[in-house]
Amino acid sequence: MLGARITGRDRRRPMLLALVFGVVLVLVGVTASALVAVASDHLANATLGGVVNRDATLVELFVNGELRADDLTPDGPGVARVDEIAQRLGTLTERDGIVRIEIRDLDGKVLLSDERAIVGTSAGVAAATRAAGAGEPMAALLESGARPGAAGALPNPSGMVQEFLPINDGEGDVIAVVALWRDAADLMARLDATRRDIMLVTLTAAVILAGILFLVFRAAQARLTRQHRQLIEATRSDALTGMLNHGAVVALLAEEIESARSSKGRIGVALVDVDNFRLFNDTHGHAAADQVLLKVAALVSAEANGGHVARYGPDEFLIVRPGAGTDEIVTAVDRLRAGLEAESVQFGDSERLPMSVSAGISAYPEHAASVTDLLSAAAVALAEAKAGGGDSVQVASVGEEDRVVAGSFDVLQGLVIAVDTKDRYTKRHSEDVARYAVFLAQRMGLDDETQRTIQLAGLLHDIGKIGIPDVVLRKPSKLTDDEFSMFKQHVALGDAIVRDVPNVELVRAGIRHHHERWDGDGYLDGLEGEMIPLIGRILAVADAFSAMTTTRPYRKALTLTEALKRLGDAAGTQLQEELVTEFISGIETSVDAPLPGEEPTQLWRPELWVA
């Protein structure tokens, strides 16, 4: 289940980086297009400015050299003079590539032109004419087919430059406007070529930038993926040996048993313990003991053979072999022991020291039908192996008189010990929850059998935490959303671990539902009110009180007074109000109230109980 969520996040992360990469490329494309447009616009304006300056000089020379003052009067020149100027303007247009020249008065009437037929006609007073009449030269680049502002017809097959230039008298007043049109085919070609060059350079730069960004994003993606895998692996691995840790191997064993149950397969398990490990540690120090563990771990890892190997405890290793029976596991452990006979360690000036292990072996289904029973059987066999002095292998018994009794308190207590191996806080917390829950059950007048069941459920309610990574379980700060989603699975895992133990349906209900809320906002099933089994509601009160009065990795324990106040605040929302009221009343008044071990203050006063 956890692995599936992790894989989903792995798939989402490359998609996110690809989306960011795509957005960056779009921004680069938009920027490049905007750059080309701006550069083209500035180039066109600069070109037009040059053309206007040159034509203004040309017009000034023509006006000063060829026109007389009466040529621009309202009556205009005579016919002969109009013809003469038209001829001279025609020469000018042929020499300078001008398509047409019109000299207009300020009302738009054509006074003179190289096109004799339009003289005397009116072209109207357009905005450009008014601007030129105010002394401001105007120029525009007309695309092919655009209609020029000339008098009469003027074809525009390939684009034109249209200019309106003022003619001033000797005192600076505008007395007429020169309108001229140049063929812009060459200019348009140059502008198009320049645009292409700018686009080519920009696109080349964009491609290079895209390549660089691709390499950067790919390197970032590779690094993030590597770090993510390392982080996930760290939650499942033992820091010293690199093997699977306790929680990871138990979760995998549960999956293997589910698979074996459906396929009627077998699973062999060996619990391997390093003999005299404490002596190594106490005599030669932690570094020396770590060397011993690493040597044993290397030999244990060699026996995986398609199964799973893990560091199960401080000096214990677990071998899980799907498809194997006790004979195959015994053979594997014998190879391990033989390998250790050839190994030795030496620390400082000590002699070469031998190493040995003891092992307890059990198998599914011949010794047990559930994860907890299978591990308990192996633990019992290991204890028998070590009782004879160690360096021994013991197979779990299948005799009726010695077989581990499924569902017995001894086996279930072994689960609590397994939790203790994982996290000692969880075991203390479970014991506290059990006594608080039994106390509340007594206050409610429940029968003895129900009280025993509630006690057992309290001891086992957090058994699923053996499958939660240490970095989440012991994190000294608030969990992230993903970490909390992972943490919530401990109730489902706990339910799966004990579900094959006979006659524990109420215990399973307590394990699965002790985090449901009275208002329906709990997990995993979101049950509300009395839909939550009574045992789950009772454990919820005991669990909340224990959590508040125990020092956790992320905060110190609350005082008893503060804890009871917060418990009361949770009544009616998180917890059933009647149960909270009964529990608080009992803690405050009962002479045998189970108070937190770290809280010496007694809220009840003995004198109130004296007759």
Side-chain angles (χ1 to χ4, degrees):
M1 187 176 296
L2 299 180
R5 288 200 303 275
I6 291 167
T7 301
R9 291 199 297 272
D10 280 340
R11 288 195 294 266
R12 289 193 295 272
R13 184 172 286 105
M15 293 176 59
L16 178 60
L17 288 178
L19 178 61
V20 173
F21 180 65
V23 170
V24 171
L25 288 184
V26 170
L27 290 176
V28 170
V30 171
T31 303
S33 300
L35 177 63
V36 171
V38 171
S40 299
D41 185 61
H42 283 294
L43 177 63
N45 289 337
T47 302
L48 284 176
V51 172
V52 169
N53 289 336
R54 185 183 65 182
D55 287 346
T57 301
L58 182 66
V59 168
E60 183 178 5
L61 291 175
F62 182 84
V63 170
N64 292 335
E66 301 294 339
L67 296 184
R68 298 192 295 264
D70 58 354
D71 291 335
L72 302 177
T73 59
D75 296 333
V79 174
R81 179 63 175 165
V82 168
D83 291 339
E84 178 186 354
I85 296 176
Q87 183 179 3
R88 293 179 181 178
L89 287 174
T91 303
L92 180 65
T93 57
E94 292 175 1
R95 186 181 67 231
D96 288 293
I98 297 174
V99 177
R100 179 181 290 182
I101 297 180
E102 299 176 4
I103 300 177
R104 306 174 179 177
D105 63 16
L106 299 183
D107 294 326
K109 178 182 178 182
V110 180
L111 302 177
L112 301 166
S113 175
D114 63 319
E115 185 67 36
R116 179 68 179 79
I118 65 172
V119 174
T121 64
S122 176
V125 184
T129 303
R130 287 195 295 271
E136 182 68 27
M138 298 294 292
L141 185 61
L142 303 179
E143 296 291 338
S144 173
R147 182 177 180 180
L154 181 61
N156 179 20
S158 57
M160 288 184 173
V161 176
Q162 176 177 267
E163 302 174 56
F164 292 87
L165 306 173
I167 299 177
N168 301 321
D169 59 12
E171 299 179 356
D173 294 329
V174 178
I175 58 175
V177 173
V178 176
L180 63 87
W181 290 264
R182 285 184 174 277
D183 181 71
D186 291 341
L187 176 60
M188 297 290 283
R190 290 197 302 273
L191 287 176
D192 288 341
T194 302
R195 289 191 184 102
R196 285 194 300 269
D197 291 342
I198 294 173
M199 179 65 78
L200 180 62
V201 171
T202 304
L203 289 178
T204 301
V207 169
I208 294 173
L209 178 59
I212 294 173
L213 287 175
F214 174 76
L215 294 176
V216 170
F217 274 91
R218 187 174 67 175
Q221 171 61 43
R223 183 173 183 179
L224 286 174
T225 301
R226 184 172 62 254
Q227 290 177 341
H228 183 66
R229 288 176 179 169
Q230 291 172 348
L231 177 61
I232 297 304
E233 189 61 29
T235 67
R236 305 179 70 248
S237 302
D238 173 62
L240 175 64
T241 64
M243 305 171 75
L244 292 173
N245 58 26
H246 183 113
V249 76
V250 170
L252 288 172
L253 179 56
E255 293 176 4
E256 296 291 357
I257 288 179
E258 287 296 320
S259 177
R261 181 177 289 112
S262 61
S263 63
K264 301 188 183 303
R266 300 185 303 167
I267 300 173
V269 170
L271 186 57
V272 180
D273 183 85
V274 180
D275 294 328
N276 303 317
F277 180 75
R278 181 171 294 180
L279 290 178
F280 280 116
N281 193 67
D282 294 345
T283 305
H284 300 289
H286 296 304
D290 287 348
Q291 290 186 38
V292 174
L293 286 174
L294 289 171
K295 286 182 177 291
V296 176
L299 293 172
V300 171
S301 296
E303 297 301 331
N305 194 23
H308 313 291
V309 292
R311 186 180 179 188
Y312 190 73
D315 57 347
E316 293 176 333
F317 297 88
L318 188 67
I319 300 174
V320 177
R321 281 272 193 92
T326 54
D327 291 342
E328 292 91 340
I329 295 296
V330 168
T331 301
V333 173
D334 286 342
R335 280 196 302 267
L336 168 62
R337 295 172 66 212
L340 280 176
E341 288 179 1
E343 295 281 349
S344 63
V345 290
Q346 188 173 13
F347 311 111
D349 57 358
S350 75
E351 298 290 335
R352 296 180 63 83
L353 305 175
M355 296 176 293
S356 66
V357 297
S358 298
I361 295 175
S362 62
Y364 170 90
E366 57 199 271
H367 296 120
S370 67
V371 176
T372 54
D373 292 349
L374 193 61
L375 293 175
S376 295
V380 170
L382 175 61
E384 294 176 359
K386 294 184 71 67
D391 194 16
S392 176
V393 178
Q394 180 68 42
V395 178
S397 174
V398 294
E400 290 300 325
E401 68 279 2
D402 296 323
R403 184 172 179 173
V404 176
V405 180
S408 69
F409 186 78
D410 287 342
V411 172
L412 295 176
Q413 190 174 31
L415 297 181
V416 180
I417 295 173
V419 176
D420 186 35
T421 303
K422 170 75 172 179
D423 180 42
R424 292 192 179 276
Y425 159 76
T426 300
K427 180 173 181 292
R428 293 196 305 270
H429 167 66
S430 296
E431 291 170 347
D432 284 343
V433 169
R435 61 194 182 99
Y436 298 149
V438 169
F439 174 71
L440 180 53
Q442 291 171 346
R443 297 280 301 181
M444 296 171 61
L446 301 181
D447 60 76
D448 292 344
E449 182 62 29
T450 302
Q451 292 179 31
R452 284 192 293 270
T453 300
I454 288 174
Q455 180 186 31
L456 185 56
L459 290 172
L460 296 175
H461 78 286
D462 274 346
I463 184 67
K465 287 184 179 179
I466 63 175
I468 302 301
D470 292 345
V471 293
V472 174
L473 194 60
R474 301 174 184 175
K475 184 176 181 181
S477 61
K478 184 178 180 181
L479 299 181
T480 65
D481 290 342
D482 285 344
E483 289 169 340
F484 186 62
S485 294
M486 184 185 301
F487 175 80
K488 289 193 297 186
Q489 297 303 313
H490 78 274
V491 296
L493 180 57
D495 182 26
I497 288 174
V498 304
R499 73 180 184 180
D500 293 314
V501 179
N503 304 319
V504 289
E505 291 303 317
L506 282 179
V507 174
R508 287 185 59 192
I511 292 173
R512 184 172 184 86
H513 299 302
H514 71 275
H515 280 296
E516 302 289 355
R517 290 173 54 107
W518 185 254
D519 58 10
D521 288 338
Y523 61 87
L524 282 171
D525 299 323
L527 301 182
E528 180 179 0
E530 294 186 357
M531 292 177 63
I532 306 169
L534 177 60
I535 191 170
R537 287 177 265 155
I538 292 174
L539 288 179
V541 175
D543 184 59
F545 183 67
S546 173
M548 289 188 288
T549 55
T550 307
T551 295
R552 310 297 291 273
Y554 51 87
R555 62 152 175 78
K556 293 183 70 65
L558 301 178
T559 64
L560 182 57
T561 302
E562 178 64 19
L564 291 177
K565 177 181 179 300
R566 295 193 184 187
L567 197 68
D569 292 340
T573 54
Q574 177 183 346
L575 307 169
Q576 183 177 354
E577 184 173 1
E578 294 81 3
L579 297 182
V580 172
T581 301
E582 188 64 39
F583 184 79
I584 293 176
S585 174
I587 292 293
E588 291 179 337
T589 62
S590 180
V591 67
D592 58 349
L595 300 178
E598 296 180 359
E599 177 55 63
T601 303
Q602 301 287 331
L603 293 187
W604 61 275
R605 290 181 296 174
E607 60 268 26
L608 295 179
W609 296 90
V610 177

